Amino acid sequence: MSQARANPVNAVAMHGALILYTLIALFPVFVILINSFKTRKAIFREPLALPDSDSFSLIGYETVMKQGDFFLYFQNSMIVTVVSLFFILLFGSMAAFALAEYRFKGNMLMGLYLALGIMIPIRIGTVAILEMMVATGLVNTLWALILVYTAQGLPLAVFILSEFMRQVSDDLKSAARVDGLSEYAIFLRLVLPLVRPAMATVAVFNMIPIWNDLWFPLILAPSEETKTLTLGSQVFIGQFVTNWNAVLSALSMAILPVLVLYVIFSRQLIRGLTSGAVK
Amino acid sequence: MHRPRFRWHIAVFLAPAVLVYTAVMIFPLFNTLRLALYSKVDQERVFVGLENFRTLFLDPVWSEPFWNALGNNFWFFIVHMLVQNPIGIALAAILSHPRLRFAALYRSAIFIPTILSFVIVGFAWKLILSPIWGIAPSMLDAVGMKSLFAPWLGKEEYALTTLALISVWQFVGIPMMLIYAALLAIPEEILEAGEVDGITGLSAFWKIKLPLILPSVGIISILTFVGNFNAFDLIYAAQGALAGPDFSTDILGTYMYRTFFGFQLQLGDPHMGSAIASGMFAIILIGVCIYLFGIQTRMRRYQL
C-alpha cells in the first residue's frame, strides 16, 4: 500500500484496468439502449452513434406497444415478485424466529432440513412440480410461480434471518415477557423491526432471480394471461427476430425496470453481498 | 414433575415455511427421483426399475446427446473457473485497494450485467455478434483484427465457448463482490506485519491475501459449479431449445427441457426427463460433497 502511495503509475494502471472492464460491462447495454431510439437505417449505418434529430425514431416502441401486451407482462412480473417476496419474508422470518428463539427437540435437525435447499436447485424437481401443478389446477396461474419462488427463497431467508435474530438482545425479550406480551407480539412488535436490515438484504437477493427467471414461467405459466416480462420479451423477440427496431425496443423495455430497481436498491444489495450475509 | 406443555407457538411459527418448502421443493425433488424409475406403457405408469438409466447411458439415441450435454456442461464450467473467477478476483483485489477513488462507482457499474435477465443478455450479445449488424466486425476492424471475426455463435467449434464467455461477462460481479468482502475482512495488522518484512504490492497479494481468501474462492467455486450444472436460460434464449448449431451448445438443462417437455415432433417424456434430472442431482450432490468434505474442511486451517 505504501508503495502505491509513492507510485502514481500504479494508480493509473488500476484505474485503467477498472475503466476498461467497466466499458466491457456496460457497452452492450449502451448499444442496445441507444439503437432502440433510432430508425432502421441508422441502426445499420451507424450502430455506435447516438440518436440525433435525423435518426431519432420511436417506431420500435410503437410496434412493441401495439403487438405485445407488455403492460400485462409487467404487471404479472410485478405481482409474482412482490407476492413471493412477501411470503418469503413472512414465512422465512417466522421460521427463523422459531429456530433462533426456542430450544426444542429437533431444532438443529429442522435448521439443517431447511438449509438443504440452499445448495440444491429447485429446478431438479421440475417434472414433479409440473405434475403437481397440473393435478391441482394451478398450472397457468400466477400462484404456481409464487409457490415455487417462495419455496426456492425460503432456505436462504431462514438461514440469514436466524443468524440475525440470534443477535437480538435477550434482555429485551425477557422484559417484554415480564410485561405480559405474547410470543406472537414479541415476534411482530419487537424482533421484526429490529431485523429490518436483514429482511431488506433477503428481499434484494431474491428479487432479481425471481424477476429474471425464464425456466418456471416457460414451464408452469406460459399462457398469454400469465406471461411474465422475461418470458414475454423472449416470445416477442422470437417472433420479431427480423424487426430490429422492435427487438431493440423490447430489450430496452425489459432492461429498464431492472435498472431502475438496481439504482434504488444497489446500496442495499452491495452491502448485503459484502457484509458476509452469504457464507 | 409435569410434562412440559406443548408450545404451540413454535409449531405455528414453523408451519408455513416447512409446509411450503416441503410440498413445493423437497417432495417434488424426491418424487422426480421416483418418477425416473417408472415408464409409460400403453397409457399406464409402470415400474421399470433402473431401465430408464440403462437407456440413458447405453442406448446410443439417448446416451450420445447425454454425454454430449455432460461434456459441454463441463467445458462450460471450466471456462467459468478459468475466466470468470480469476477476473473477479483481480477486480476485487484492485477495488479493495484502500486509496482507490470511485471504487463504489466501478463496483456498481461492473455489477450491472449480473442483474439483467438471460433473455436480455442472450439477445443483446446475439445482436452484437451478428454479422448482419456488424458491430463486432467493425470494432475488430478498428483495432486491425478484422480477420479474426467469425460468426461465433453460428459455428459449432466456437458457439459453446462464446456462450460461456457471455455468461462469464454476465456473472463476473458475483465473485468480485464476494472476494471483495473477504479482502476487506483481512485484519490490517497482518498486512502491516507483512509490510515490515518487505512484502508489499503484488507479492502481498500472492503470499498473504490469496491464502487468506481461499475459503471464499472455495465458496465461489461451488456456487459456480451448482449454477453451471443447473444452467438453461442463456442457452435457450440465445440458441433455442435445440441448442444449435447441431447441439454443440447443448447442456444438461436444455437436454432435460427437450426431453421432458418435448420439442418439434418429439413428444415429451417425463420419465426420461426425470432420469436426466436425477443425473443432474447426482452431479450437483457429488460436487457439493467434494466441496464440503474435501475442500472446505481442509481450508479451515487458513481461517483467521
Side-chain angles (χ1 to χ4, degrees), chain A residues 1-5 14-15 17-19 21-22 24-29 31-32 35 43-44 47-48 91 94-95 97-99 102-104 110 113-114 116-117 119-132 147-148 150-152 154-155 183-184 187 208 212-215 218-219 230 233-234 237 244 247-248 251 254-255 258-259 262 269-270 273-274 278-279, chain B residues 7-10 12-14 16-18 20-26 28-29 31-32 35 45 87 91 94-95 97-102 106-113 115-117 119-120 123-125 127-128 130 132-133 135 139 169 172 177-178 180-181 188 191 195 200-201 219 222 226 230 232-233 236-237 253 256-257 260-261 270 273-274 277 280-281 284-285 288:
Chain A
M1 262 154 281
S2 54
Q3 205 179 40
R5 225 171 287 153
M14 289 195 303
H15 280 285
L18 287 173
I19 290 171
Y21 199 83
T22 307
I24 296 175
L26 295 186
F27 172 74
V29 180
V31 171
I32 300 295
N35 280 292
I43 291 174
F44 282 98
L48 295 181
F91 297 168
M94 284 165 67
F97 182 70
L99 292 178
Y102 308 111
R103 320 182 86 217
F104 58 91
M110 186 60 91
Y113 174 67
L114 287 170
L116 270 182
M119 272 303 175
I120 295 162
I122 191 169
R123 281 181 189 187
I124 304 287
T126 303
V127 176
I129 291 178
L130 178 64
E131 234 172 48
M132 182 173 78
L147 278 172
V148 168
T150 305
Q152 170 187 271
L154 278 172
E183 295 300 318
Y184 304 105
F187 167 68
I208 294 166
N212 284 341
D213 187 37
L214 179 64
W215 175 262
L218 184 67
I219 287 162
T230 306
S233 9
Q234 152 80 25
I237 292 169
W244 284 65
V247 168
L248 289 165
L251 282 176
I255 293 175
V258 217
L259 217 53
Y262 180 61
L269 176 73
I270 287 168
L273 273 171
T274 50
V278 260
K279 274 218 175 129
Chain B
R7 289 174 293 173
W8 276 104
H9 51 267
I10 300 182
V12 172
F13 281 130
L14 278 173
V18 172
V20 173
Y21 173 72
T22 308
V24 186
M25 185 153 180
I26 299 298
L29 185 66
N31 205 13
T32 301
L35 284 175
R45 187 166 272 178
I87 292 181
L91 288 171
I94 301 176
L95 280 174
H97 200 280
R99 308 225 139 213
L100 185 84
R101 301 179 65 192
F102 311 118
Y106 288 127
R107 220 171 45 188
S108 309
I110 294 174
F111 201 72
I112 283 182
I115 61 162
L116 301 177
S117 77
V119 174
I120 298 170
F123 276 106
W125 276 101
L127 296 183
I128 287 166
S130 151
I132 305 172
W133 198 7
I135 287 195
M139 285 184 69
W169 171 82
V172 114
M177 290 292 187
L178 296 177
Y180 174 72
E188 197 64 29
L191 298 173
E195 247 174 83
T200 55
I219 291 172
I222 189 65
V226 175
N230 173 34
F232 160 82
D233 307 52
Y236 181 78
M256 169 175 124
Y257 174 80
F260 99 91
F261 219 61
S274 300
M280 290 165 76
F281 181 64
I284 290 174
L285 212 59
V288 171

Side-chain angles (χ1 to χ4, degrees), chain A residues 130-205:
Chain A
L130 178 64
E131 234 172 48
M132 182 173 78
M133 294 300 175
V134 171
T136 50
L138 285 174
V139 80
N140 273 327
T141 66
L142 296 181
W143 279 109
L145 296 178
I146 291 170
L147 278 172
V148 168
Y149 295 141
T150 305
Q152 170 187 271
L154 278 172
L156 193 62
V158 172
F159 184 73
I160 293 177
L161 290 171
S162 60
E163 292 288 301
F164 275 83
M165 285 181 181
R166 288 203 179 95
Q167 293 163 17
V168 173
S169 122
D170 278 336
D171 297 346
L172 265 177
K173 283 173 285 195
S174 313
R177 286 198 181 102
V178 170
D179 285 348
L181 254 65
S182 71
E183 295 300 318
Y184 304 105
I186 291 175
F187 167 68
L188 276 176
R189 302 228 296 268
L190 193 83
V191 175
L192 270 197
L194 285 174
V195 295
R196 242 184 336 209
M199 307 249 295
T201 304
V202 171
V204 177
F205 276 167

